[in-house]
Structure formats: structure tokens, C-alpha cells
Amino acid sequence: MSTRAIVVGAGWSGIAAALALVDAGVDVALLDAAPQAGGRARRVEVALGDRRYALDNGQHLLIGAYTETLRLMRRAGVDPRRAFVRASFALRYPDGFLLRAAHWPAPLHLAAALASARGCTLGERMALAVWVASMQRMRWQVAPDRPAIEVFEGHPDRLVERIWQPLCVAALNVRLQQASAAVFLAVLRDSLGADAAASDLLLPRGDLSGLLPDAAIDVLRIGATVRLRTAVVGLRPPAARGWRVETRGEPLAADAVVLALPPARAADLLASIEGAPCAETVALLRAIDTAPIATVYLRYAEHVRMPHPVYALREDAATERYGQWVFDRGALEENCAGVFAVVVSAKGPHLDRDRHAVVAAVARQLTADFGLPAPLATAMLTEKHATIVPAPGLQRPPARLDAPGLYLAGDAAASPYPSTIEGSVRAGLAAADALLADFGLPPRAAR
Ligand SMILES: Cc1cc2nc3c(=O)[nH]c(=O)nc-3n(C[C@H](O)[C@H](O)[C@H](O)COP(=O)(O)OP(=O)(O)OC[C@H]3O[C@@H](n4cnc5c(N)ncnc54)[C@H](O)[C@@H]3O)c2cc1C
């Protein structure tokens, strides 16, 4: 009889775990409380005036270093070359400031970016080169962990403000002052510090569900059981072996359970187990803080375009400049001509403002920076718990939990990476690997 596993949560992490287990011959059931798969990276229909658009619960950006995500997409039958517009890394501001990597072998791509940086003085370029060289010598590692701002001591303020702070907020969804230096440097090492392709920007041509969840669920429906609209409400170890997964309907039995859930939901389920075998894990999960991301969608006339599909925006809450990045969705997909997505990441003063005030401020920012007219229609989507806060020294529980046959995936699980799509996919694969090893099944790599 084959091993039976239940994966709880059909976000990108749960999908990664489920597909890896199916490929290993495990009998898999994938459950999700929501009516659709994709979790925090999924399609949402948004009304902008008299038209409805297939957009996202929040604008996402992927990079070339997302190797496991790209592999997973291919496994599900999605060709990343069609799914993304791929561009060399560029940090481009509307006022002309530009840091752009060349498509040369590492580390020349980075050297070229530093040498050709636009809007920087010679002294600033030198400071950048010295800092990058010192990080390369340190192999992009610090011990003990500390707030990321501390690795920029003595660095020119303007470069921190224009380069490192925006990159930290984009990758970690917290500012340098709250971020783990170890996690931020791991991201830089694997992107800017690796070969040029790793730092490429991957801009989704369509909505996020089309990138993976739709295709993956189709594949899983053939080799596994997929149950959407099925919330798991408790876990019970039966007398003999395995687990009973309680839903609002019939309970389901399995030899192993993978929890691919946000930290608070995983904590709730682990706390429901009689005898509290995972009390330490529950405490770690409950100590994880989360941070929000808001996306403001603005619709203009269809011919309105920006010269490039993505720009960094100068953030300054004091003058109500809340937007940090703007994406011209019309440059990426025909159906969205005239639609722009502005990202407002992390905690900030905008959270204390009424949403209409934030949207109006973002529209003014685009007018000031690009000369855009007033938008025809707007919408704002806020994910309150978009990502976990990678605070210095944050401890995340390992994939293998303190009860046999129970595994943790998702961005709550231990990882050198922040709470991103790639981090979640890797955590899903790590949970699947642990399960395969414990049940004596051949490892994934051997296939
Ligand atoms: C607005 C926004 C912007 C972002 N931008 C980026 C970006 O640019 N780049 C990037 O890499 N990452 C970005 N992220 C982060 C990325 O989306 C997440 O890290 C990733 O999607 C998390 O995936 P996951 O599978 O770990 O968790 P989730 O996506 O949260 O999946 C968990 C699933 O569990 C289900 N669930 C919850 N409770 C239960 C239950 N009791 N029973 C059954 N099912 C349950 C949920 O419905 C959900 O589908 C962004 C996130 C947001 C919200």
C-alpha cells in the first residue's frame, strides 16, 4: 500500500510539496480552505470603473534566482519564457537615477552596474564598489545576526536611501532597521552577488494564478485528490499510526501531514493536537510577526504608457509619497492597457490613513513623477499579513516537527530566505524531502 499524505494549504508551498510527493509515488490529498489555489499569490478580479480586470491580490516581482520556482512551473507545464518578460536587473527612478546590471559573467555584470550607475557621484560609485567587494570577501555572511542597517555603517546615506532600503523593502517587506542582516545578505548573495541571470527581473505577463496554481492543480487532479473549500480545523493522532485530519465534513486519514500554512494558521492546528507534542513549535510560530503589502491599481486611458515597465519610486511619507514601485501592466499584457500597479510595502504611516487618501496620494505621485493625468478609476488591495517579518535572529521551526509524520512548509518554516515565493516553494520541497526520507522512499534528486 502506498504512503498517504495530506498537504494542508494549496499556496505555492503546498503545491510544491504535493507535486514532489506525487512524483515520488505518494498518495496525496491537497486541501485548501479557499475556493481557489494560490494563497497569497493568486489572481483576483478587480473592478476599475466599467471594466473588470484579472489582476492579482498584490503585484509580485520574481527574479532569475528563483530556480526552484521556475523548475516547478516547468513541471506543471508552464513555460517561464512565455510566462515572464525577462529583463536585466535595473533599479530605475523616474528622475533618471539608474543602477543597471550588464549581461556579462559575474562579477563583471556588477562591476558594469557600478561603473555605469547614473545619478551617482564618483565618490558614491567608489563607496558602492568597496562595499560590494567587502561583502564578497565576507561571502555575504554576518555572525551574529544583527539589524541589516548595521552592515551599511559609513555608507553614503543617499545610496542607502536609493538602493539598499528599496531593495530590502522589496525583498524582505521590512526596512533595513527591522530586517535580519543574514537574510538580506543571503538574498543579495544569490541575486546581485551571483551570475547576471540570477538578478534578472521576471515580470509576470499575466496574473499569478496563470503562472503556476491553475496548471499545477490540473496536473494534481490527475495524480492526486484536490479539495478546495475544505478548511482543516484540527489534527488527531489515531491510536495506531498516522493522522486524522478534521474538516467540517468527514475526517480524513493519512500516514503523514504537511502543513503549508501561514504561521498563525499552522500554530492553531498544531495547538489542537491532544497532549501538545508541538508546544515549542507553536510558541515559535506565535512569536512570528507579519507585515502588510498594499497594491494600488490605477486605470488610465489605454494609450497611457511608461517608457519602461517598472520603476522604483522615491518614498517619503512626510510628503505623502507612499508608493515604492510602479508596474505598467499594459506593457506586460494587452488586456491591461492603461492599468498601473503601485506597491506600498511594509508597515508605515499610510496604514493610519483612510484608503481614499492613500490612493489619492499615490495618484499625485504618478502625476508628479511621470506627468500622468488623474486616473479614470482606482482600487486598493491590502494584504494585512502578506509576509513574515525576518527580524534579526528570528527562529523558524524546522520542516520535521516534534510528532512523527508531521511536517511544516510555507514561509513559517526554517529557511535562509525571506518570505517570498521562492522561499515558500523551497520550504515545500524541504518538507517533501523530509517526509520521503522518514518513510524510506527514494529521495527526489535520485529520480
Ligand atoms: C501583496 C503581496 C505581495 C507580495 N510580493 C511578492 C513578490 O513580489 N515576490 C515574492 O517572491 N513574494 C511576494 N509575496 C510573498 C509571497 O506571495 C508569499 O511568500 C507566498 O505566496 C506564500 O506562499 P505559501 O504557500 O507559503 O503560503 P500561502 O500562500 O499563505 O498559502 C497557504 C494556503 O493555506 C490555506 N489555508 C489557510 N488556513 C487553512 C486551513 N485551516 N485549512 C486549509 N487551508 C488553509 C490558504 O487559503 C492558502 O491558500 C507577496 C505577498 C503578498 C501578499
Side-chain angles (χ1 to χ4, degrees):
M1 210 174 73
S2 58
T3 308
R4 292 165 311 162
I6 291 182
V7 178
V8 187
W12 290 55
S13 193
I15 288 173
L19 271 175
L21 293 172
V22 166
D23 287 347
V26 175
D27 180 0
V28 175
L30 175 64
L31 315 183
D32 200 292
Q36 80 284 13
R40 277 171 276 166
R42 65 176 195 284
R43 172 191 311 122
V44 167
E45 209 177 271
V46 179
L48 290 170
D50 59 357
R51 268 194 66 183
R52 300 184 80 78
Y53 292 85
L55 294 165
D56 300 316
N57 63 312
Q59 176 66 47
H60 280 56
L61 175 67
L62 291 79
I63 57 171
Y66 282 20
T67 48
E68 292 301 336
T69 303
L70 297 175
R71 204 190 313 273
L72 183 66
M73 287 172 64
R74 284 191 288 269
R75 164 67 188 91
V78 178
D79 180 354
R81 284 169 307 185
R82 286 168 183 261
F84 297 110
V85 170
R86 190 170 186 135
S88 294
F89 169 82
L91 185 58
R92 184 191 309 276
Y93 285 85
D95 64 5
F97 185 102
L98 174 65
L99 187 71
R100 182 174 45 189
H103 243 202
W104 294 348
L108 291 180
H109 68 301
L110 206 51
L114 300 179
S116 66
R118 243 194 269 154
C120 294
T121 64
L122 186 61
E124 286 170 341
R125 274 189 252 165
M126 295 285 288
L128 262 181
V130 167
W131 186 85
V132 169
S134 76
M135 286 302 128
Q136 275 170 333
R137 270 198 310 278
M138 288 162 56
R139 296 171 188 266
W140 305 89
Q141 283 172 354
V142 282
D145 200 2
R146 64 199 68 169
I149 190 74
E150 291 183 15
V151 297
F152 295 100
E153 247 158 43
H155 206 61
D157 286 349
R158 215 168 65 92
L159 297 185
V160 172
E161 184 202 318
R162 285 290 184 128
I163 300 174
W164 305 114
Q165 193 67 276
L167 289 184
C168 183
V169 171
L172 274 62
N173 198 23
V174 288
R175 294 174 213 287
L176 289 165
Q177 290 75 359
Q178 292 90 41
S180 147
V183 175
F184 187 45
L185 291 179
V187 170
L188 293 181
R189 178 198 62 212
D190 292 354
S191 51
L192 290 178
D195 65 21
S199 62
D200 279 355
L201 304 180
L202 305 182
L203 305 167
R205 284 188 200 274
D207 62 66
L208 291 168
S209 295
L211 284 188
L212 174 78
D214 288 352
I217 294 298
D218 284 349
V219 170
L220 284 166
R221 283 199 196 279
I222 298 166
T225 304
V226 178
R227 290 201 194 180
L228 302 177
R229 293 188 166 88
T230 305
V232 172
V233 293
L235 293 172
R236 303 264 174 283
R241 56 164 213 158
W243 291 90
R244 217 173 64 176
V245 171
E246 315 236 301
T247 68
R248 293 190 205 289
E250 282 287 291
L252 302 163
D255 302 303
V257 177
V258 176
L259 299 179
L261 298 168
R265 297 288 77 75
D268 291 346
L269 286 187
L270 292 174
S272 76
I273 306 171
E274 226 174 81
C278 299
E280 268 178 43
T281 303
V282 171
L284 288 180
L285 292 172
R286 296 235 193 269
I288 295 177
D289 190 13
T290 59
I293 300 182
T295 303
V296 178
Y297 289 112
L298 305 101
R299 178 182 166 198
Y300 297 90
E302 290 194 0
H303 67 269
V304 176
R305 291 281 292 267
M306 297 189 313
H308 296 277
V310 57
Y311 283 86
L313 299 174
R314 204 169 43 75
E315 188 193 1
D316 178 21
T319 55
E320 299 191 335
R321 293 181 57 95
Y322 301 124
Q324 297 150 349
W325 297 87
V326 58
F327 293 76
D328 180 352
R329 296 283 298 226
L332 302 168
E333 48 183 321
E334 248 172 62
N335 292 340
C336 290
V339 176
F340 291 68
V342 174
V343 179
V344 186
S345 294
K347 294 177 184 168
H350 67 283
L351 295 173
D352 302 327
R353 303 291 311 274
D354 149 59
R355 60 193 289 125
H356 298 291
V358 175
V359 170
V362 164
R364 282 199 302 277
Q365 209 178 337
L366 296 191
T367 301
D369 287 1
F370 298 95
L372 296 191
L376 303 173
T378 57
M380 176 166 150
L381 307 185
T382 304
E383 289 271 8
K384 284 193 188 144
H385 306 285
T387 60
I388 68 166
V389 171
L394 175 74
Q395 256 188 294
R396 287 184 271 178
R400 196 177 268 116
L401 294 174
D402 286 336
L406 207 50
Y407 303 89
L408 184 68
D411 54 356
S415 164
Y417 298 103
S419 177
T420 53
I421 283 185
E422 179 72 1
S424 281
V425 165
R426 287 184 186 226
L429 297 175
D433 287 344
L435 190 159
L436 295 178
D438 292 350
F439 284 81
L441 296 164
R444 271 187 312 124
R447 275 152 212 293

